């Protein structure tokens, strides 16, 4: 991939990848950071990205792994801080301005959230998701079914009464 091709690829993919990682992580700033860092890593290997055939999938996977690593680091730091200072302080609930869907996605287990994002937002097939995540297709299908069910329950409007079964 030439410099010009990489720049064109970046221009076409950065917003889409940032949106996908935002849905996966629930944090826009974090999504922007990990996508940028993944593109920096991709720059070094841009010659191999084209041969691999799926540069966007590679960057999305690297960005996801970076996000997980950062989360683990923050978690360990918070745990260590809590041990040294008598416990964690109360964390305020999410800002009410957040989109309802993002809040519902945040309540899902990370792997379900990632699988739903890859399937519905990235438009990947079950087989493509399995290839990108290293999970089996049956596990991907299970995550999709459980994730959809959990979202349906969380996104149900309580003001609308369900019709009784006849």
């Amino acid at each position: 991939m030439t410099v010009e091709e990489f720049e064109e690829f970046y221009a076409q993919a950065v917003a889409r990848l940032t949106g996908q990682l935002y849905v996966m992580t629930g944090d826009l700033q974090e999504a922007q950071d990990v996508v940028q860092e993944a593109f920096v890593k991709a720059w070094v290997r841009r010659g191999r990205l084209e041969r691999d055939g799926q540069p966007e999938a590679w960057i999305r996977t690297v960005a996801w792994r970076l996000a997980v690593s950062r989360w683990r680091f923050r978690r360990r730091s918070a745990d260590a801080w809590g041990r040294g200072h008598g416990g964690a302080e109360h964390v305020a609930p999410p800002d009410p301005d957040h989109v309802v869907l993002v809040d519902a996605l945040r309540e899902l287990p990370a792997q379900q959230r990632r699988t739903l994002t890859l399937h519905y937002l990235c438009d990947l097939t079950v087989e493509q998701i399995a290839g990108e995540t290293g999970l089996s297709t049956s596990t991907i299908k299970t995550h999709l079914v459980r994730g959809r069910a959990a979202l349906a329950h969380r996104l149900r409007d309580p003001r609308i009464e369900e019709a009784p079964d006849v």
Side-chain angles (χ1 to χ4, degrees):
M1 190 179 287
T2 66
V3 172
E4 292 79 18
E5 290 171 333
F6 188 85
E7 289 173 349
E8 183 178 330
F9 166 64
Y10 175 85
Q12 292 175 352
V14 68
R16 181 173 48 252
L17 286 164
T18 301
Q20 294 164 0
L21 267 292
Y22 172 46
V23 174
M24 287 182 195
T25 63
D27 183 335
L28 181 59
Q29 184 65 46
E30 183 73 8
Q32 291 169 333
D33 289 348
V34 295
V35 168
Q36 288 301 317
E37 192 171 338
F39 268 106
V40 169
K41 291 178 182 291
W43 173 259
V44 175
R45 62 173 298 162
R46 67 185 182 280
R48 294 185 303 239
L49 281 178
E50 191 172 50
R51 286 193 301 270
D52 294 344
Q54 295 183 328
E56 193 166 324
W58 187 89
I59 289 174
R60 184 174 40 248
T61 300
V62 169
W64 171 253
R65 289 178 181 161
L66 288 167
V68 169
S69 294
R70 288 174 167 204
W71 177 83
R72 287 180 179 152
F73 175 78
R74 284 192 301 270
R75 177 67 182 225
R76 285 191 306 269
S77 297
D79 289 347
W81 182 261
R83 284 191 303 270
H85 293 87
E89 294 180 25
H90 174 70
V91 177
D95 184 5
D97 294 337
H98 281 115
V99 179
V100 172
L101 179 59
V102 173
D103 287 340
L105 284 166
R106 282 183 180 159
E107 295 177 18
L108 297 179
Q111 205 56 352
Q112 280 182 14
R113 185 172 58 241
R114 182 179 184 203
T115 303
L116 287 168
T117 302
L118 291 172
H119 187 66
Y120 291 106
L121 196 64
C122 303
D123 223 14
L124 298 182
T125 65
V126 169
E127 292 76 20
Q128 289 170 320
I129 297 169
E132 190 169 316
T133 62
L135 301 172
S136 69
T137 56
S138 61
T139 301
I140 297 300
K141 290 176 185 177
T142 300
H143 284 314
L144 288 172
V145 168
R146 290 180 180 166
R148 282 190 297 255
L151 282 178
H153 176 73
R154 286 177 173 87
L155 297 175
R156 186 180 60 225
D157 189 345
R159 297 172 295 177
I160 301 173
E161 291 185 34
E162 292 186 27
D165 292 335
V166 178

